[in-house]
Amino acid sequence: MYRVDEDKVYSAYDHAKEMYAEFGVNTDEILKEMDKIHISIHCWQGDDVIGFEEGVNGLTGGGIVATGNWPGRARNGAELREDIEMALSLIPGKHRVNLHAIYAETDGEFVDRDQISIEHFKKWIDWAKEKGIGLDFNPTFFSHQKANSGYTLSSKDDKIRKFWINHGKRSREIANAIGKELNNQCVNNIWIPDGSKDLPANRIEHRKLLKESLDEIFAVKYEKSNMLDSVESKLFGIGSESYVVGSHEFYLGYALKNNIMLCLDMGHFHPTESVADKISSILTFSDNLLIHVSRGVRWDSDHVVILNDELLSLAKEIKRCNAYDKVYIALDFFDASINRIAAWVVGARATLKAILISLLEPTHLLVEQENKGNLGNRLALMEEFKALPFYAVWNKYCMDKNVPIGTSWINLVDEYENKVLKHRN
Ligand code: RNT
Ligand code: ZN
């Protein structure tokens, strides 16, 4: 396989640096900016969102599916951490790892979701400490018998609702303890699957119940420096095509009214709706925003993220709002039909490439034309800037961060597959 050699990386970088400098962009400075970017890498790509809970052996309910059966799925914490480490070694920069409650390690004992606590995440915390990385957290409101009716926090059954409220509370407690232990703010994101396949007769009742449940969950206040709450909306899921309780409008209202962060998942809107366009509206009213970087193909299919127009517009919009310090970026996809390490690395590298491209954009020149009212020139510049040599800067970035340059990481994934993944079954 073609491997970019290091001298070539330097000379290409020098050329690129000159070219960007002509447009007033200092590439060395931009590479320093990249050091401030820490994306959250989701652990659930490594095991098809199954988790370690006793008696659960597949993603069930909740309207999300992982399809495929590529060999080598991580079956326990040790394997999952080993795989994440492998992926991290191929992704430039220092990043975070995003956990779900179902990744609790309970030593073979069944601990229900309303009972989990910080001790079940000790191995993750020790590991994160050793690696010097931050952790994020998510309560898991799916793949559980008490989610089978299709309703959790918005259930009309008080017992069910109480159970999930307790899970939500436990998760916040855990996230807060993680943030404290690591001395690194932990984002705790709530997504619930609640909704209905066919037309509900009463939409508002579930929404009122969801609001009440959230109020209870959020009653305890934690230091934001330890833990930051967020809520994730959705348009529809499989089995909740006609109605999702936690819709965009619902959570936009809830988040703004209660000073909680909103999470926009790129797969959770109409396919032609631009998530990028929503950023500036939300940031006008909110201090921050969480993005789940995903790729819907015709529907919320959670495909591996690639460097497509949606991702580029998202990154450019964050840059143009000067909001990389306000927008939290977390990956959210799961593909079981390809090597899972490759999935992680492709998605993370694509996201970082988009961020780098956005930071390298000579935005000030676009704004200058806009302010002059010369919109033809603005469009012309936007088109020209698309072809600026970002790849030379990207390779330099990878080299600086001691990760494989160009395509050379692909061989390493193959080797890991032969050495490690193929021996799992
Ligand atoms: C589901 C949401 C949610 C999940 C993860 C596993 O549609 O996107 O974020 O993907 O919590
Ligand atoms: Zn999501």
Side-chain angles (χ1 to χ4, degrees):
M1 200 170 287
Y2 177 72
R3 195 179 183 289
V4 189
D5 102 24
E6 298 197 355
D7 289 341
K8 281 192 201 146
V9 171
Y10 280 120
S11 65
Y13 178 73
D14 288 343
H15 269 284
K17 189 176 163 172
E18 267 176 44
M19 212 181 272
Y20 278 105
E22 280 175 35
F23 294 108
V25 174
N26 180 333
T27 53
D28 291 342
E29 291 301 318
I30 300 300
L31 288 179
K32 281 188 207 146
E33 287 288 302
M34 286 301 284
D35 283 344
K36 298 183 201 149
I37 304 282
H38 311 287
I39 62 175
S40 190
I41 297 180
H42 56 318
C43 76
W44 53 91
Q45 165 59 67
D47 79 328
D48 318 333
V49 211
I50 292 173
F52 311 143
E53 240 168 19
E54 293 304 308
V56 178
N57 48 24
L59 180 64
T60 55
I64 49 178
V65 278
T67 54
N69 54 2
W70 193 264
R73 180 181 83 74
R75 298 159 300 180
N76 52 52
E79 288 181 355
L80 188 53
R81 282 186 287 272
E82 185 186 13
D83 291 355
I84 296 172
E85 277 178 34
M86 178 61 193
L88 289 176
S89 75
L90 307 174
I91 299 167
K94 194 150 198 76
H95 302 295
R96 315 173 55 78
V97 170
N98 206 356
L99 300 178
H100 239 283
I102 46 172
Y103 295 88
E105 288 167 281
T106 58
D107 261 335
E109 196 191 315
F110 175 72
V111 180
D112 213 347
R113 307 249 178 110
D114 60 342
Q115 298 300 321
I116 49 162
S117 65
I118 187 69
E119 80 209 54
H120 304 124
F121 293 89
K122 192 175 178 315
K123 287 187 186 154
W124 285 109
I125 293 170
D126 289 345
W127 174 76
K129 267 190 197 157
E130 186 198 307
K131 304 267 150 230
I133 56 177
L135 293 176
D136 294 311
F137 200 76
N138 303 259
T140 314
F141 293 96
F142 50 85
S143 298
H144 191 283
Q145 181 225 328
K146 287 195 169 63
N148 285 350
S149 71
Y151 293 95
T152 63
L153 290 179
S154 75
S155 172
K156 292 182 194 170
D157 179 334
D158 273 347
K159 270 225 230 63
I160 298 278
R161 209 163 69 83
K162 194 77 210 146
F163 173 84
W164 290 113
I165 289 173
N166 286 335
H167 178 57
K169 289 182 178 170
R170 289 276 172 160
S171 295
R172 290 184 75 233
E173 241 169 66
I174 293 168
N176 179 59
I178 291 176
K180 227 186 199 160
E181 272 283 318
L182 297 178
N183 196 14
N184 192 326
Q185 185 189 51
C186 175
V187 171
N188 184 62
N189 177 54
I190 294 187
W191 174 75
I192 61 165
D194 299 29
S196 103
K197 181 183 175 80
D198 222 326
L199 296 171
N202 186 340
R203 291 170 188 263
I204 199 162
E205 190 175 347
H206 288 292
R207 290 195 166 129
K208 285 186 169 159
L209 287 167
L210 175 56
K211 181 195 169 292
E212 279 174 27
S213 299
L214 292 172
D215 287 349
E216 273 194 58
I217 291 174
F218 293 130
V220 177
K221 300 290 167 215
Y222 293 108
E223 290 286 337
K224 282 203 172 171
S225 53
N226 285 337
M227 197 271 281
L228 194 58
D229 290 298
S230 69
V231 285
E232 178 180 0
S233 66
K234 189 162 180 167
L235 177 66
F236 82 96
I238 296 176
S240 62
E241 289 85 353
S242 303
Y243 169 59
V244 165
V245 184
S247 61
H248 179 53
E249 293 72 12
F250 178 90
Y251 281 126
L252 182 63
Y254 193 88
L256 293 178
K257 205 163 175 178
N258 296 284
N259 194 20
I260 278 170
M261 180 160 66
L262 187 67
C263 170
L264 302 179
D265 182 307
M266 293 175 77
H268 289 189
F269 294 86
H270 283 284
T272 57
E273 210 173 336
S274 161
V275 172
D277 183 39
K278 300 177 190 300
I279 293 172
S280 55
S281 298
I282 292 164
L283 290 182
T284 303
F285 299 99
S286 178
D287 293 340
N288 36 43
L289 170 66
L290 170 62
I291 303 282
H292 268 190
V293 183
S294 192
R295 176 167 57 109
V297 176
R298 304 197 187 283
W299 55 285
D300 173 39
S301 52
D302 297 283
H303 275 62
V304 175
V305 166
I306 56 170
L307 190 58
N308 58 10
D309 283 347
E310 281 75 30
L311 183 61
L312 281 166
S313 338
L314 178 95
K316 284 180 185 167
E317 193 49 38
I318 302 174
K319 152 75 185 307
R320 291 173 188 174
C321 292
N322 191 19
Y324 273 114
D325 58 342
K326 299 191 181 83
V327 179
Y328 293 72
I329 297 172
L331 306 182
D332 185 15
F333 51 79
F334 24 97
D335 191 338
S337 73
I338 59 174
N339 180 303
R340 295 171 185 79
I341 315 277
W344 262 318
V345 179
V346 167
R349 284 176 72 115
T351 303
L352 291 165
K353 278 181 194 155
I355 294 170
L356 179 64
I357 292 171
S358 75
L359 291 174
L360 288 167
E361 180 191 76
T363 311
H364 60 288
L365 299 181
L366 301 176
V367 174
E368 189 181 277
Q369 293 302 327
E370 184 164 284
N371 290 345
K372 279 189 195 156
N374 200 334
L375 307 188
N377 286 2
R378 182 187 62 186
L379 190 62
L381 286 179
M382 277 182 183
E383 282 303 288
E384 290 303 326
F385 292 166
K386 285 181 183 169
L388 285 173
F390 89 88
Y391 196 56
V393 184
W394 168 257
N395 281 334
K396 169 74 161 45
Y397 173 54
C398 290
M399 205 157 80
D400 287 351
K401 298 295 156 202
N402 281 316
V403 304
I405 304 160
T407 56
S408 52
W409 65 270
I410 301 170
N411 284 338
L412 301 175
V413 172
D414 286 343
E415 271 169 33
Y416 186 80
E417 173 158 288
N418 289 325
K419 241 176 47 202
V420 180
L421 302 178
K422 280 201 177 143
H423 304 285
R424 295 178 189 163
N425 49 41

PDB file of all heavy atoms in Angstrom, residues 356-374:
ATOM      1  N   LEU A 356     -10.390  20.501  10.549  1.00  0.00           N
ATOM      2  CA  LEU A 356      -9.169  21.160  10.046  1.00  0.00           C
ATOM      3  C   LEU A 356      -9.482  22.022   8.817  1.00  0.00           C
ATOM      4  O   LEU A 356      -9.058  23.177   8.731  1.00  0.00           O
ATOM      5  CB  LEU A 356      -8.112  20.092   9.705  1.00  0.00           C
ATOM      6  CG  LEU A 356      -6.800  20.629   9.141  1.00  0.00           C
ATOM      7  CD1 LEU A 356      -6.069  21.493  10.168  1.00  0.00           C
ATOM      8  CD2 LEU A 356      -5.888  19.484   8.684  1.00  0.00           C
ATOM      9  N   ILE A 357     -10.245  21.467   7.888  1.00  0.00           N
ATOM     10  CA  ILE A 357     -10.610  22.231   6.680  1.00  0.00           C
ATOM     11  C   ILE A 357     -11.323  23.522   7.080  1.00  0.00           C
ATOM     12  O   ILE A 357     -11.054  24.595   6.541  1.00  0.00           O
ATOM     13  CB  ILE A 357     -11.497  21.370   5.741  1.00  0.00           C
ATOM     14  CG1 ILE A 357     -10.667  20.228   5.152  1.00  0.00           C
ATOM     15  CG2 ILE A 357     -12.130  22.220   4.636  1.00  0.00           C
ATOM     16  CD1 ILE A 357     -11.470  19.188   4.384  1.00  0.00           C
ATOM     17  N   SER A 358     -12.212  23.401   8.058  1.00  0.00           N
ATOM     18  CA  SER A 358     -12.965  24.598   8.451  1.00  0.00           C
ATOM     19  C   SER A 358     -12.041  25.641   9.077  1.00  0.00           C
ATOM     20  O   SER A 358     -12.177  26.832   8.826  1.00  0.00           O
ATOM     21  CB  SER A 358     -14.084  24.223   9.426  1.00  0.00           C
ATOM     22  OG  SER A 358     -13.580  23.952  10.726  1.00  0.00           O
ATOM     23  N   LEU A 359     -11.089  25.175   9.889  1.00  0.00           N
ATOM     24  CA  LEU A 359     -10.177  26.136  10.534  1.00  0.00           C
ATOM     25  C   LEU A 359      -9.249  26.787   9.511  1.00  0.00           C
ATOM     26  O   LEU A 359      -8.808  27.926   9.685  1.00  0.00           O
ATOM     27  CB  LEU A 359      -9.367  25.449  11.634  1.00  0.00           C
ATOM     28  CG  LEU A 359     -10.158  25.006  12.875  1.00  0.00           C
ATOM     29  CD1 LEU A 359      -9.277  24.198  13.822  1.00  0.00           C
ATOM     30  CD2 LEU A 359     -10.763  26.205  13.612  1.00  0.00           C
ATOM     31  N   LEU A 360      -8.957  26.032   8.455  1.00  0.00           N
ATOM     32  CA  LEU A 360      -8.064  26.574   7.419  1.00  0.00           C
ATOM     33  C   LEU A 360      -8.776  27.523   6.458  1.00  0.00           C
ATOM     34  O   LEU A 360      -8.137  28.236   5.678  1.00  0.00           O
ATOM     35  CB  LEU A 360      -7.449  25.418   6.601  1.00  0.00           C
ATOM     36  CG  LEU A 360      -6.379  24.561   7.293  1.00  0.00           C
ATOM     37  CD1 LEU A 360      -6.117  23.287   6.486  1.00  0.00           C
ATOM     38  CD2 LEU A 360      -5.087  25.351   7.490  1.00  0.00           C
ATOM     39  N   GLU A 361     -10.075  27.535   6.501  1.00  0.00           N
ATOM     40  CA  GLU A 361     -10.817  28.380   5.557  1.00  0.00           C
ATOM     41  C   GLU A 361     -10.514  29.866   5.802  1.00  0.00           C
ATOM     42  O   GLU A 361     -10.594  30.341   6.931  1.00  0.00           O
ATOM     43  CB  GLU A 361     -12.320  28.147   5.731  1.00  0.00           C
ATOM     44  CG  GLU A 361     -13.157  28.989   4.772  1.00  0.00           C
ATOM     45  CD  GLU A 361     -14.636  28.955   5.127  1.00  0.00           C
ATOM     46  OE1 GLU A 361     -15.035  29.629   6.102  1.00  0.00           O
ATOM     47  OE2 GLU A 361     -15.374  28.246   4.441  1.00  0.00           O
ATOM     48  N   PRO A 362     -10.185  30.583   4.745  1.00  0.00           N
ATOM     49  CA  PRO A 362      -9.985  32.046   4.909  1.00  0.00           C
ATOM     50  C   PRO A 362     -11.348  32.751   5.035  1.00  0.00           C
ATOM     51  O   PRO A 362     -11.741  33.535   4.179  1.00  0.00           O
ATOM     52  CB  PRO A 362      -9.260  32.452   3.621  1.00  0.00           C
ATOM     53  CG  PRO A 362      -8.861  31.174   2.945  1.00  0.00           C
ATOM     54  CD  PRO A 362      -9.850  30.138   3.390  1.00  0.00           C
ATOM     55  N   THR A 363     -12.020  32.478   6.125  1.00  0.00           N
ATOM     56  CA  THR A 363     -13.387  32.976   6.323  1.00  0.00           C
ATOM     57  C   THR A 363     -13.458  34.501   6.234  1.00  0.00           C
ATOM     58  O   THR A 363     -14.425  35.054   5.695  1.00  0.00           O
ATOM     59  CB  THR A 363     -13.921  32.501   7.699  1.00  0.00           C
ATOM     60  OG1 THR A 363     -13.675  31.097   7.800  1.00  0.00           O
ATOM     61  CG2 THR A 363     -15.396  32.773   7.858  1.00  0.00           C
ATOM     62  N   HIS A 364     -12.407  35.155   6.752  1.00  0.00           N
ATOM     63  CA  HIS A 364     -12.438  36.626   6.769  1.00  0.00           C
ATOM     64  C   HIS A 364     -12.587  37.210   5.361  1.00  0.00           C
ATOM     65  O   HIS A 364     -13.191  38.253   5.181  1.00  0.00           O
ATOM     66  CB  HIS A 364     -11.180  37.175   7.453  1.00  0.00           C
ATOM     67  CG  HIS A 364      -9.898  36.785   6.775  1.00  0.00           C
ATOM     68  ND1 HIS A 364      -9.394  35.498   6.812  1.00  0.00           N
ATOM     69  CD2 HIS A 364      -9.044  37.497   6.013  1.00  0.00           C
ATOM     70  CE1 HIS A 364      -8.262  35.463   6.111  1.00  0.00           C
ATOM     71  NE2 HIS A 364      -8.038  36.662   5.615  1.00  0.00           N
ATOM     72  N   LEU A 365     -12.056  36.496   4.367  1.00  0.00           N
ATOM     73  CA  LEU A 365     -12.176  37.016   2.995  1.00  0.00           C
ATOM     74  C   LEU A 365     -13.598  36.858   2.456  1.00  0.00           C
ATOM     75  O   LEU A 365     -14.073  37.678   1.668  1.00  0.00           O
ATOM     76  CB  LEU A 365     -11.172  36.311   2.073  1.00  0.00           C
ATOM     77  CG  LEU A 365      -9.695  36.505   2.459  1.00  0.00           C
ATOM     78  CD1 LEU A 365      -8.782  35.780   1.478  1.00  0.00           C
ATOM     79  CD2 LEU A 365      -9.336  37.987   2.537  1.00  0.00           C
ATOM     80  N   LEU A 366     -14.255  35.812   2.897  1.00  0.00           N
ATOM     81  CA  LEU A 366     -15.654  35.610   2.485  1.00  0.00           C
ATOM     82  C   LEU A 366     -16.527  36.696   3.108  1.00  0.00           C
ATOM     83  O   LEU A 366     -17.381  37.296   2.445  1.00  0.00           O
ATOM     84  CB  LEU A 366     -16.161  34.233   2.948  1.00  0.00           C
ATOM     85  CG  LEU A 366     -15.394  33.014   2.445  1.00  0.00           C
ATOM     86  CD1 LEU A 366     -15.952  31.740   3.079  1.00  0.00           C
ATOM     87  CD2 LEU A 366     -15.464  32.924   0.921  1.00  0.00           C
ATOM     88  N   VAL A 367     -16.266  36.957   4.381  1.00  0.00           N
ATOM     89  CA  VAL A 367     -17.051  37.961   5.100  1.00  0.00           C
ATOM     90  C   VAL A 367     -16.814  39.347   4.492  1.00  0.00           C
ATOM     91  O   VAL A 367     -17.737  40.154   4.354  1.00  0.00           O
ATOM     92  CB  VAL A 367     -16.705  37.936   6.609  1.00  0.00           C
ATOM     93  CG1 VAL A 367     -17.392  39.069   7.350  1.00  0.00           C
ATOM     94  CG2 VAL A 367     -17.075  36.594   7.215  1.00  0.00           C
ATOM     95  N   GLU A 368     -15.559  39.567   4.096  1.00  0.00           N
ATOM     96  CA  GLU A 368     -15.229  40.864   3.492  1.00  0.00           C
ATOM     97  C   GLU A 368     -16.079  41.120   2.245  1.00  0.00           C
ATOM     98  O   GLU A 368     -16.670  42.188   2.078  1.00  0.00           O
ATOM     99  CB  GLU A 368     -13.736  40.843   3.125  1.00  0.00           C
ATOM    100  CG  GLU A 368     -13.147  42.160   2.695  1.00  0.00           C
ATOM    101  CD  GLU A 368     -11.666  41.957   2.348  1.00  0.00           C
ATOM    102  OE1 GLU A 368     -10.839  41.962   3.284  1.00  0.00           O
ATOM    103  OE2 GLU A 368     -11.354  41.763   1.154  1.00  0.00           O
ATOM    104  N   GLN A 369     -16.165  40.094   1.387  1.00  0.00           N
ATOM    105  CA  GLN A 369     -16.979  40.247   0.172  1.00  0.00           C
ATOM    106  C   GLN A 369     -18.454  40.417   0.529  1.00  0.00           C
ATOM    107  O   GLN A 369     -19.167  41.201  -0.089  1.00  0.00           O
ATOM    108  CB  GLN A 369     -16.797  39.032  -0.760  1.00  0.00           C
ATOM    109  CG  GLN A 369     -15.396  38.915  -1.353  1.00  0.00           C
ATOM    110  CD  GLN A 369     -14.970  40.158  -2.147  1.00  0.00           C
ATOM    111  OE1 GLN A 369     -15.783  40.840  -2.785  1.00  0.00           O
ATOM    112  NE2 GLN A 369     -13.680  40.471  -2.095  1.00  0.00           N
ATOM    113  N   GLU A 370     -18.877  39.665   1.505  1.00  0.00           N
ATOM    114  CA  GLU A 370     -20.281  39.743   1.930  1.00  0.00           C
ATOM    115  C   GLU A 370     -20.602  41.159   2.420  1.00  0.00           C
ATOM    116  O   GLU A 370     -21.616  41.744   2.054  1.00  0.00           O
ATOM    117  CB  GLU A 370     -20.513  38.734   3.050  1.00  0.00           C
ATOM    118  CG  GLU A 370     -21.933  38.638   3.527  1.00  0.00           C
ATOM    119  CD  GLU A 370     -22.127  37.362   4.349  1.00  0.00           C
ATOM    120  OE1 GLU A 370     -22.211  36.273   3.743  1.00  0.00           O
ATOM    121  OE2 GLU A 370     -22.173  37.455   5.582  1.00  0.00           O
ATOM    122  N   ASN A 371     -19.698  41.697   3.234  1.00  0.00           N
ATOM    123  CA  ASN A 371     -19.940  43.038   3.774  1.00  0.00           C
ATOM    124  C   ASN A 371     -19.914  44.111   2.690  1.00  0.00           C
ATOM    125  O   ASN A 371     -20.572  45.142   2.808  1.00  0.00           O
ATOM    126  CB  ASN A 371     -18.937  43.361   4.881  1.00  0.00           C
ATOM    127  CG  ASN A 371     -19.206  42.534   6.127  1.00  0.00           C
ATOM    128  OD1 ASN A 371     -20.293  41.938   6.251  1.00  0.00           O
ATOM    129  ND2 ASN A 371     -18.248  42.447   7.021  1.00  0.00           N
ATOM    130  N   LYS A 372     -19.146  43.833   1.651  1.00  0.00           N
ATOM    131  CA  LYS A 372     -19.132  44.776   0.522  1.00  0.00           C
ATOM    132  C   LYS A 372     -20.362  44.617  -0.355  1.00  0.00           C
ATOM    133  O   LYS A 372     -20.571  45.376  -1.292  1.00  0.00           O
ATOM    134  CB  LYS A 372     -17.904  44.490  -0.353  1.00  0.00           C
ATOM    135  CG  LYS A 372     -16.611  45.092   0.149  1.00  0.00           C
ATOM    136  CD  LYS A 372     -15.564  44.890  -0.951  1.00  0.00           C
ATOM    137  CE  LYS A 372     -14.165  45.116  -0.442  1.00  0.00           C
ATOM    138  NZ  LYS A 372     -13.172  44.403  -1.280  1.00  0.00           N
ATOM    139  N   GLY A 373     -21.072  43.534  -0.121  1.00  0.00           N
ATOM    140  CA  GLY A 373     -22.236  43.266  -0.967  1.00  0.00           C
ATOM    141  C   GLY A 373     -21.878  42.581  -2.269  1.00  0.00           C
ATOM    142  O   GLY A 373     -22.712  42.441  -3.161  1.00  0.00           O
ATOM    143  N   ASN A 374     -20.632  42.131  -2.372  1.00  0.00           N
ATOM    144  CA  ASN A 374     -20.240  41.475  -3.621  1.00  0.00           C
ATOM    145  C   ASN A 374     -20.420  39.961  -3.511  1.00  0.00           C
ATOM    146  O   ASN A 374     -19.490  39.203  -3.251  1.00  0.00           O
ATOM    147  CB  ASN A 374     -18.792  41.834  -3.959  1.00  0.00           C
ATOM    148  CG  ASN A 374     -18.529  41.582  -5.434  1.00  0.00           C
ATOM    149  OD1 ASN A 374     -19.203  40.739  -6.052  1.00  0.00           O
ATOM    150  ND2 ASN A 374     -17.581  42.303  -6.003  1.00  0.00           N
TER     151      ASN A 374
END
